[in-house]
Every structure is written in C-alpha cells, then in structure tokens.
Amino acid sequence: MTTTASASPWEELVTSALLGTDRRTPPAGTTPAGKDAPVALLDAAALHTVRRRAGLSPAPPAAGGTLPEPAPDDARRALPLPARRRLVQLLADRSGPSGSGGRRGTAPDLTALLPQWLAAANEHGYRAPASVLPALLDAARARTDLRPHALTFAGPRGLWLARLNPEWKFALRGGSAGSALPDMGDAEAVRRLWEEGLFAERVALLAGLRAHDAGAALALLTSTWSTERAEDRLMFLDSLRAGLSDADEPFLEQALSDRSRNVRSTAAELLSALPHSALAGRMAARAASCVAMDRSGGTEATIVVEAPHECDADMQRDGIVPTPPSGRGERSWWLGQLVEAAPLSVWTDRLGGRSVREIVALPVSDGWADELHAAWCRAAVRQHDADWSRALLGTPAAPPSTGPGTTSPAERSKLLAALPDDERAAWVAEFIAAHGLSEAFQLLGVCTVPWAAPLGRAVVDALDIARDAGSYPWSFSGVMGLAERCLSPEEADRLEVLTATPDEQEDASPGAGGYWSEAFQRLVSTLRLRAAMHEELSTT
Amino acid sequence: MLLSNGGTAPASMDQGVARWAAEQVLSLAPDAASRKAGSKLGAAGPWSGAGCDASGAVWGLCKGSGSKPYQTVVDTTGPAYKCSCPSRKFPCKHALGLLLLWACDEQTVPLCEVPEWADEWLSGRRSRAAAKEQTGTGSGAAKSTADPEAARRRAERRAERITAGATELEQRLADLVRGGLAATERSGYGLWEETAARMVDAQAPGLAARVRELGAIPGSGPGWPVRLLEECSLIHLLDSAWLRLERLPEPLAATVRNRVGLSSAAEGPAVRDQWLVLAQYDSADGKLTTRRVWLHGRESGRTALLLSFGAAGRPPQLALPVGLMIDAEVTSHGAGRPRAELGTQFGPPATIDAPPSGGPCASAADAYGQALRDDPWLDSWPVTLTRVIPVPDGTGWQLVDADGGAALPVDADGGAALPVAAAALTRPGLWKLVALAGGRPVTVFGEFGHRGLVPLTAWPEDMSETVPLI
C-alpha cells in the first residue's frame, strides 16, 4: 500500500493501528526500531500523545479577533443581599408542581409568589443579578404569565443573553419586551420595523407608539391600512383602545365600511365609547326613540320600551348585528345593541332628569327590565362609568339574585372594575359578609392587592365560618389560594389563632379540623413570607 | 481551640458567622428531591425556637406530621448535621430548610444562646474533634505500625498480581493493534468489560477503570480511532511504567503506583491556610458517587483536591459550600499531586473575599503541560483564568483573553482562545457564565485539559460574588 507524502507520522500510526500492524506495518522512522510492531506502534503513539498534550497552546479566537458586543449597561440598582437570596429560593422551587386543590401541607407555595416578587422588584427599580438570568429566562419560558415581569426584571442583559440561546427566543418576540423595540422618537427606525417586522413585533410597536404618541400611532396605522390582512387589521384596530380620543373618530368612521365584519363591529364599539362621536349621537337617538316614560295615567312612573321593528342598513353600518343568536328574538337583540352603544348620559334627559340611581330603580313595563338593565351594564362597562356601575350593582347585602343590573358574577366583577379601589373593596367585603364565599371568587379577583383591611377581614371571617360549619378547606381552595397571594401580610398575627387544631365536632366532616389548621398555617406562613419578601426588597 | 468559643456564646458577641447564600445551602442537598423538600421548609412557618451562635451552630424545631417537632442542629463548620427525623438522607430536608432559613431570615434565626437539647450534640461533637486533634497528626503512622512485616508481605503479593495483570493487558493491547482497531467497532462493550474484570481480579482498579472507559470510544463520533489509539497508548505507557517501576525516579514511581490503583496515604505535612472552596461536583460511576472539592490556599497558593465517595445512591459525606473560605489544615497525598485530605478546621468559615490569582489563556495550557511532566496520565489540571470573555464559536464556546480592557476588541494575533469542553456545553452553568460575563471579562476557575476547559466557578469583573457554575 502506498501512502500520500503529506501524511504526518501520527497519521501513519493511526492508519496502521486502525488496519492492524499485520496488514500494514508503520513506515520506517515512525516507530522505534527493534521491537515487535504493535508494541513499537504503541510506544510511538504514547510519546506523541503526551507530547501533543503537553504542547497545547491557545488558538487564535474563532471570531477572527473581533469580540461580540458586550451586554448593554443596566443602570438600575443591585438587589439587596437578602432579596437576592430569596429570589434564588423562589426560582429553585419553580420546577415543582404547583398546588392544585387537595391537601397541600403547611408550606407556602413559592411558585405562586414569584410573580408578586418580580412585580415588587420592578416597582423598586432593581436589576436582576446576572447569575440568575438563565434561571429567570427558563422560568419565563415555561410560564407565559411570568413573562412581562420577568423580562422587565431581566432587562437589557436578559435580552442580550436571550439572543445567544434559541430556547429563549420568546424573549425577543414578546411585545412585553419593550427593549426589543426601537426608540419611539426615532421615526426612521419605527417606520422600518413597521414595514419589515413580524406581526407580533408590529403589534408591540403600535402599542408602544400609541402610549408614546397616540396621533403618530394612528398615522402609522393609516399609512398601510388598506394593504393589511383582515385579521391583522382587527388586532391593530384593537390597539387604538388605549388612548382612545375624539381624534380617532374620522379613521374609525371610515373603518365602519370595512370589508371585514369583525373590523366593522370593533370600530363601532370604539366609536360608541367616544360619547361625542357622531356614531354615539346616532345610537343615542335610536336608543332614545325606543325607551320612554309612561305618562299614560298610572300614578307610578314606569319606563316603557318599544323595541326597534327593523335593522336597517344604517344601523348595520353602525355595527348592529342583524341576526340574533338562536333562541333570542330579533327585536330585543337589536334593542340590546342600541342601548349598549348609546352614551349613558342620554338617559338622564330622556327619563325626566332623574339621577342614575332613580333611573335604575324605575319599574319597566312588559318584562323589558332584564333586557334593558343588562344592556345598561354592558354600556357602563364599555364606557367605564362609575355612577352607572354603582347604581347597577345595587347594595351588596341584597341577595345576589335580586340585583338591579345583573346577577352574573362575571358581569358584576366587570362593573366593580369601574369603581374606585376603596369602594370596590368595601362592596366586595359587604357582599362576602352577607353571602359567604361561594360566589365571591371572581369579585375578589378584581380587587387591588394587597386587599384593604375590611375586605381581608371579611374573607378571613368567612373562612372561619366555613370551618365552623364543618366543611373541608379544599372546597375553598380557590379563595384560600387568592388569600395567600392577596391578603395583607399584616393580617398574619390575627390569623395565628386560627392555626390551632380545634376539637372534633360531631357534625363536622372527619378530620376537617386538622386540615383547616394546616390550611391556616400555610396562609400564615405565606403571609409572613410575603412580608419578609417586601421588607427585603425595601431595605437599601 | 474549638471549645473556646463553642458552647455558649458570649452575650457581647453581636456579630454572627457569615450567613451562607441560598445556592450554597442548596449545593449541600444530596439529590433534587431533597433540594425541593428543603426549599419548602426554608420559610418561617413550621419552625420555632430557631437560633444560631457565633461559633457556627444553627438549630431549630421543625413541626412535622407528628405531635413532637423534629430537633435539627447543624454545625456549619464541617458542616455536620443532626436531626431527630427518621430520614436516611444526609443532610435531611429539615437541615436544609433550617440552613435556608438561617441564610435568608435573620429574624427567625437570631443570634442567641444554644438551648440544652442542641448543646448536647454540639459540645459532644466539638470535644471529640478536640480530642482527635490532641492525639496528634500521626493517625496514618499509627495504623501502619500494627504489623509491618505482614503488611509488607501483603503488599508484595498484591504487586505480583498487578504485574501479572499488567503483563496480560499488554498482551491484549498488542493483539488489538496487531489485528486493527477497526474491529473494535463491531466487538462492542463485552471485550472491554471482560478485560476490565480481569484487571479487578489483578487488584489494579486504576487499570480496570481505564480499560472500561475504552469501551465507550469505538463509534463515538468523528475521530474515534484517534482517541482510541491515544487512550490505548497511555494504558500501554502505564503498563510499561509499572513493569519497570524500579527504574523510575521516586516521584514518578509514586504517580504510577497511584494510577494503577494502589492508594496512597496523605503523607505530606499538614498545611494550615485560608482555603478557598472553589468548586464541588459529583460524578456517578455505576454504584459509586465521587465528589470532588477543589480548594485553593490563600497564603500557600496551593491547589488541593478533596475526594470523597458515596456508595449506592448515597451522597458523599463531605460537603463544602462553594464561595466560602475555611481556616483549616490540609494534608497532601504527595508532592506534585493535588489530592489531599482535610484536617482540623479552625473556627467557622468566612465568605471568599477575592478569587485566586490567575493568568491569561496561555497560562492554563502551560500549567497543564507542566503538570503532565509529573503525571503524563492527567486529563486536566485546575487553572484560574483572569480577564477572559466567553465567546460563541460556531456550535461551541471559547474563552478569549481580553487584553486591554473590555471595550477593545482582542487582537487576532496577540489574542488567544481556549475551547470550552463539550461536556460543559450541556450544563446550565455555561449559561450562567455567559450571563455573568455579559460579554465582558471575568475570572474563571476550571479544569483545563486536552479536551478543553470545563468552567467550574466564575467571578464577575467587580469580584462582588463567587458564582458556582455547576
């Protein structure tokens, strides 16, 4: 066999070893003489191996000497040491399953506290320690609910790092990652991203620009509107919801003639939220013509309703959907939409200068009350009107089934969202005091965290009552979980007495007392932990 | 010495032992399940009567499912643990939870006097340690004086068996090279396993382990024949060295004995120093878990490797949290070799104030090359690199010298790069290193060898923290 002249002595050795010295003796000079061929080959190979290892030297950098851009500086403050230890602990726990119903022991669920910790750290303006960034990005990758806070906390170095690992691509796409967007003042860059960006990037850009300069966002959207796909138009239109003003009206009016029905109805919805818009005026006129005071004789003032008899082309252009869902009458369907889209201010004049509360209390003839009140509820939510929301919610102590506006907890929580924080908390507290926890979950969800004192007390009292009634704590695990995250940490001391295991009562479910004690222990230790968390973040 | 501040701490002592970081505590966990269970207990909830003192003791009562709370005590100098729970894990979740609480929550674990129930174990432990110290350093000498003649005969018999094993192995290697390495891709693991078993019979565990590793090379990706030839030739070198042991200079002969598998006792003089705990990691091999702890002497400048072993899923007992500095005596297994034993510790550990001094990339290659002179079978050598930047290199990473400050690009001619070993790529630690550096220079401690650098620990440019990468 011949070998090429370029083969090094080492390559010769490898070739011979691979084939076997019986088939191919290494060329003379590559192995020591006077030994059996295999042994001579191994001798030479050992010499070469040790020599090569001992002679290792660094290579020129692969990038040809240019180092990649370093991560941008993060001017935010470094975390205090205790807060940093806590973060590591919270992140270390994330791999575990989160508690879902059933018995959960007495230890706090750290995973549930991570979002709160991140939000608080961001409020304080801390930057994430570099060494936890990989764990933070992994956590955000697994849990979309964490992403906005986690990415804000991770900051520019987090995004810099995410670019290097394909598993963290999400960080570069999400609209929440404000730093991936250009400077909103840089018209050139904004324009380029708008024209070349991915859909999600463009949505994020539009939202960012809308917050920065509402008019510029509208102008940007108008510039390419006619060429966008229908689904994209819908998403873009939706971004105008933020910072909506009368200046948007001409564009929205134009969008009422859009090819896509969903775009048309969204445009109509946005216009109806502008009380001075032409559309709102048209809706007011239509709705007012359907609703009037009955002056026909009886002593008691009553509202009479005359629902529309047709849904004409103009109504349809203004976003009224002509075909009702199955099971609903056409005329009541149209009425509901008209009232929902009409500015609420129209009713005071129309109904004899009465206050909102008086209007809501008026009897309605011919069984139209439910329809009318439900439409008012939707209008109050859409127009974010506190007076109407308050009146439609009625008194919290009244039985839920007899509310003036709505009986659905979902709608009530939407109405509650229009009330100021304190009033909202007080309303829910009173509701819980009167009716217990079974329908309170959604209402609690819209209250600000930490819960105001009266609300917290109402929840704890209701839990205590549920315990005395002998039920199991996991029937209330939803509220219990909320309480762990939302109750003010100051309540911990007051709760301490509830952690004792009570004597078994005759009518109680077996073992319930022990489970309640465990649940309250977890609540107390979680509250203490949250107090410690916030304190650690506040120390300078 | 230890007793002077053991027992009850003086009331005036208001400065406690440096509390560890949560990472350091979690690094003591024997497995992932304990880590998780321990984290859950790292909150004030179930604990009562917890406290710590200036000597490094931490204690607390943890409410479990039973009526009587578990009594947990930890001596952080050591560290050593005691808990009244029935768990066989070590440290148990209560000890981990207590340490986490101690690390994070100074209110729940305040400095105070040792309660009686904890003191019993603590003072017992410390007086035993003091007694051991007094009996002197010659524990190894004491053992060997038992019956020197019998021991010598045993050693001779074992040497004969090893010689027979090495001779046989030489024959097998020669046969292999004669027939061609290509055949090994078809013959599979069995061939090596059988040979390794013969080496175990020959009482040469070092040879057995090397032979067993050969089995993984055939068909292991591009270039496997080169790797197989390299490893075969190094085994051949070891065989030949053993068979001519009397002709080798003594330090090299000691290395060969050690490599073949004859264990050596720690014999050097005990060196008292501030030892920085640079890295700790485990590797599992069948039934045995090996834990490596790298120490660096602040004064002596020496690097020491502590090995400890755990059988059948049990973690090794020795655990030293990375980032701490312990005032202790360390005894070497012989000149030129990093292996050492930890002796007496004096007082509680402190936090590392600065990384060991290091050098540029070229210094790592130099250090490995020098070390190969004493031990040609070394796969890697501990090195500290200062001012290096992790840089992506196609599918891998490099550490690149950052001469002249962070903002300046490295000159292609003057700059130098080390590959980061492929094994390190899969570790989350690599990303920690990249994040920590952020494209700027960092100090990195790791093991450098012919397969590249395995980064183990890093310090950011401002040296504000010690970050374990494992």
Side-chain angles (χ1 to χ4, degrees):
Chain A
M1 181 186 277
T2 56
T3 50
T4 56
S6 63
S8 68
W10 171 245
E11 284 163 340
E12 295 284 359
L13 292 179
V14 174
T15 311
S16 291
L18 199 55
L19 295 173
T21 50
D22 278 359
R23 282 181 213 103
R24 183 183 185 279
T25 317
T30 52
T31 55
K35 280 191 175 174
D36 214 12
V39 177
L41 191 151
L42 284 168
D43 273 351
L47 185 64
H48 173 89
T49 300
V50 177
R51 186 195 283 150
R52 189 187 68 82
R53 290 182 181 182
L56 280 176
S57 62
T66 37
L67 290 174
E69 279 290 294
D73 278 323
D74 192 337
R76 292 176 295 174
R77 291 186 291 160
L79 276 177
L81 196 57
R84 195 189 156 124
R85 290 171 177 158
R86 182 73 62 193
L87 172 63
V88 170
Q89 212 184 338
L90 294 180
L91 284 171
D93 196 52
R94 88 200 129 85
S95 46
S98 58
S100 52
R103 195 178 169 187
R104 288 168 47 209
T106 58
D109 180 0
L110 298 182
T111 325
L113 297 181
L114 188 55
Q116 196 170 109
W117 189 99
L118 289 171
N122 286 334
E123 266 170 41
H124 284 283
Y126 290 118
R127 78 166 174 264
S131 53
V132 307
L133 287 175
L136 193 61
L137 287 170
D138 280 343
R141 180 182 175 223
R143 284 176 59 185
T144 40
D145 64 312
L146 275 181
R147 282 184 192 175
H149 286 315
L151 291 178
T152 305
F153 185 54
R157 186 174 286 210
L159 284 178
W160 176 90
L161 188 64
R163 267 182 221 113
L164 297 167
N165 186 340
E167 290 190 0
W168 297 328
K169 256 189 200 148
F170 71 89
L172 310 174
R173 293 215 192 99
S176 50
S179 337
L181 295 173
D183 177 7
M184 291 302 156
D186 184 349
E188 174 76 9
V190 166
R191 160 69 50 187
R192 194 172 336 112
L193 186 61
W194 181 248
E195 279 166 4
E196 297 167 8
L198 300 168
F199 172 67
E201 286 171 332
R202 301 180 69 208
V203 170
L205 176 73
L206 193 62
L209 190 58
R210 182 73 176 172
H212 175 77
D213 178 351
L218 184 65
L220 191 68
L221 181 56
T222 318
S223 68
T224 59
W225 180 253
S226 57
T227 62
E228 306 289 354
R229 300 181 320 136
E231 306 90 65
D232 296 2
R233 287 204 302 280
L234 188 62
M235 283 295 287
F236 292 146
L237 196 58
D238 213 53
S239 69
L240 295 184
R241 213 175 279 275
L244 190 68
S245 76
D246 289 344
D248 300 317
E249 193 188 345
F251 174 77
L252 292 172
E253 265 296 330
Q254 196 193 326
L256 285 177
S257 324
D258 197 89
R259 295 186 299 279
S260 152
R261 201 184 72 178
N262 287 332
V263 171
R264 290 199 300 273
S265 62
T266 303
E269 190 197 327
L270 290 173
L271 279 170
S272 71
L274 291 171
H276 307 295
S277 70
L279 178 132
R282 294 195 292 275
M283 287 298 187
R286 288 184 189 117
S289 74
C290 297
V291 178
M293 292 303 297
D294 176 15
R295 310 201 184 276
S296 64
T299 48
E300 199 184 14
T302 303
I303 295 176
V304 286
V305 172
E306 175 75 19
H309 290 275
E310 58 165 350
C311 182
D312 59 30
D314 285 347
M315 279 166 73
Q316 290 188 35
R317 182 175 181 275
D318 281 349
I320 305 296
V321 180
T323 325
S326 61
R328 290 202 57 177
E330 280 185 333
R331 292 180 61 202
S332 71
W333 171 244
W334 298 332
L335 174 79
Q337 293 180 77
L338 289 181
V339 174
E340 180 183 351
L344 285 162
S345 57
V346 74
W347 301 114
T348 308
D349 287 348
R350 182 66 186 159
L351 301 175
R354 288 179 171 80
S355 72
V356 176
R357 200 170 283 276
E358 287 165 340
I359 290 172
V360 171
L362 284 172
V364 184
S365 64
D366 300 330
W368 281 104
D370 284 355
E371 200 68 56
L372 188 61
H373 283 160
W376 277 338
C377 283
R378 295 196 298 274
V381 169
R382 188 186 282 195
Q383 294 167 39
H384 210 73
D385 189 310
D387 281 345
W388 276 86
S389 295
R390 195 175 293 127
L392 288 163
L393 278 166
T395 48
S401 55
T402 64
T406 173
T407 58
S408 121
E411 300 240 302
R412 281 173 175 231
S413 62
K414 284 187 199 159
L415 288 173
L416 277 170
L419 299 186
D421 293 349
D422 291 351
E423 192 180 344
R424 198 186 314 160
W427 197 95
V428 178
E430 222 176 301
F431 180 89
I432 290 173
H435 311 297
L437 291 168
S438 48
E439 290 183 69
F441 186 74
Q442 277 179 300
L443 306 182
L444 285 168
V446 293
C447 294
T448 41
V449 177
W451 288 339
L455 175 58
R457 231 156 278 152
V459 171
V460 172
D461 289 346
L463 287 171
D464 195 17
I465 290 165
R467 179 181 69 157
D468 288 344
S471 44
Y472 282 117
W474 44 84
S475 315
F476 301 89
S477 58
V479 172
M480 207 38 130
L482 265 184
E484 285 166 21
R485 290 195 293 277
C486 306
L487 207 57
S488 165
E490 287 157 19
E491 299 288 317
D493 291 338
R494 234 173 47 84
L495 276 164
E496 190 78 62
V497 292
L498 296 175
T499 60
T501 310
D503 296 331
E504 198 95 336
Q505 290 170 346
E506 265 179 38
D507 52 345
S509 313
Y515 295 135
W516 275 106
S517 145
E518 206 171 83
F520 278 118
Q521 275 178 44
R522 189 177 61 244
L523 183 54
V524 169
S525 53
T526 308
L527 294 184
R528 296 244 156 89
L529 184 59
R530 280 174 50 215
M533 259 167 49
H534 287 283
E535 197 180 320
E536 287 157 2
L537 284 166
S538 308
T539 50
T540 44
Chain B
M1 232 174 303
L2 273 174
L3 281 173
S4 63
N5 57 2
T8 53
S12 64
M13 188 82 80
D14 59 347
Q15 199 186 346
V17 173
R19 295 183 189 233
W20 300 353
E23 293 105 319
Q24 291 172 333
V25 175
L26 291 171
S27 75
L28 301 176
D31 53 35
S34 307
R35 200 169 302 133
K36 189 158 163 40
S39 305
K40 285 218 177 294
L41 290 172
W47 292 96
S48 59
C52 62
D53 73 3
S55 74
V58 189
W59 59 87
L61 299 169
C62 185
K63 191 174 161 9
S65 48
S67 58
K68 203 170 179 311
Y70 294 126
Q71 300 178 333
T72 313
V73 199
V74 181
D75 183 352
T76 57
T77 59
Y81 323 88
K82 171 145 172 63
C83 183
S84 60
C85 77
S87 167
R88 294 175 62 202
K89 287 189 177 168
F90 199 82
C92 67
K93 60 180 179 178
H94 304 102
L96 289 171
L98 177 64
L99 285 175
L100 280 175
L101 195 65
W102 169 69
C104 297
D105 191 340
E106 298 189 10
Q107 277 175 351
T108 317
V109 191
L111 262 181
C112 56
E113 235 169 71
V114 186
E116 206 173 320
W117 60 266
D119 190 43
E120 201 177 315
W121 177 73
L122 283 167
S123 34
R125 183 179 137 68
R126 284 165 186 181
S127 55
R128 272 195 307 280
K132 198 171 147 203
E133 197 188 331
Q134 273 172 2
T135 54
T137 52
S139 63
K143 253 182 258 162
S144 62
T145 52
D147 183 354
E149 182 55 25
R152 197 186 55 76
R153 277 201 308 273
R154 270 200 307 279
E156 251 172 35
R157 271 203 303 281
R158 185 170 176 193
E160 278 165 23
R161 299 183 71 161
I162 296 176
T163 301
T167 312
E168 182 187 338
L169 185 54
E170 271 297 271
Q171 196 55 53
R172 291 198 177 209
L173 287 173
D175 288 350
L176 181 71
V177 173
R178 189 174 292 121
L181 300 181
T184 59
E185 208 172 9
R186 292 184 300 275
S187 58
Y189 259 66
L191 170 78
W192 309 109
E193 280 301 328
E194 190 213 325
T195 314
R198 300 280 301 156
M199 293 307 116
V200 172
D201 290 345
Q203 294 188 304
L207 289 177
R210 284 190 167 262
V211 168
R212 205 171 287 123
E213 278 180 23
L214 289 182
I217 301 178
S220 64
W224 72 261
V226 170
R227 290 195 293 280
L228 185 59
L229 179 57
E230 283 182 343
E231 293 310 317
C232 285
S233 73
L234 287 177
I235 294 177
H236 164 71
L237 186 66
L238 188 53
D239 283 337
S240 319
W242 173 264
L243 296 173
R244 295 169 190 78
L245 197 61
E246 69 289 349
R247 282 153 62 187
L248 297 180
E250 178 43 35
L252 190 57
T255 300
V256 170
R257 277 195 292 270
N258 204 38
R259 285 287 176 192
V260 165
L262 291 172
S263 57
S264 60
E267 56 197 16
V271 177
R272 180 172 174 180
D273 202 340
Q274 293 289 337
W275 293 95
L276 318 188
V277 183
L278 293 183
Q280 174 188 305
Y281 67 96
D282 293 351
S283 48
D285 169 30
K287 298 186 193 85
L288 192 72
T289 303
T290 305
R291 174 167 292 168
R292 289 177 172 78
V293 177
W294 282 112
L295 299 179
H296 176 84
R298 170 71 78 220
E299 306 294 325
S300 61
R302 284 170 56 171
T303 302
L305 175 64
L306 307 179
L307 287 182
S308 58
F309 305 94
R314 289 217 169 192
Q317 290 232 348
L318 181 73
L320 295 171
V322 171
L324 291 185
M325 192 159 66
I326 49 178
D327 180 2
E329 282 181 346
V330 165
T331 310
S332 162
H333 273 249
R337 261 176 297 157
R339 171 101 196 258
E341 301 295 328
L342 184 62
T344 313
Q345 290 183 53
F346 307 92
T351 305
I352 287 187
D353 46 2
S357 58
C361 291
S363 71
D366 279 353
Y368 176 56
Q370 297 284 344
L372 282 174
R373 284 203 307 206
D374 297 325
D375 182 355
W377 297 277
L378 265 182
D379 276 328
S380 61
W381 190 250
V383 293
T384 302
L385 298 169
T386 39
R387 295 189 57 73
V388 287
I389 305 175
V391 174
D393 161 28
T395 55
W397 286 79
Q398 291 182 321
L399 289 176
V400 177
D401 281 333
D403 301 310
L408 295 176
V410 170
D411 173 37
D413 298 318
L418 292 180
V420 176
L425 281 174
T426 52
R427 291 212 200 108
L430 175 75
W431 289 106
K432 253 191 188 179
L433 173 63
V434 174
L436 193 72
R440 295 186 175 82
V442 284
T443 300
V444 178
F445 170 79
E447 293 169 6
F448 176 75
H450 56 93
R451 284 190 286 262
L453 182 93
V454 178
L456 296 173
T457 312
W459 294 263
E461 206 170 10
D462 62 4
M463 307 297 173
S464 55
E465 54 174 338
T466 301
V467 180
L469 300 175
I470 296 170

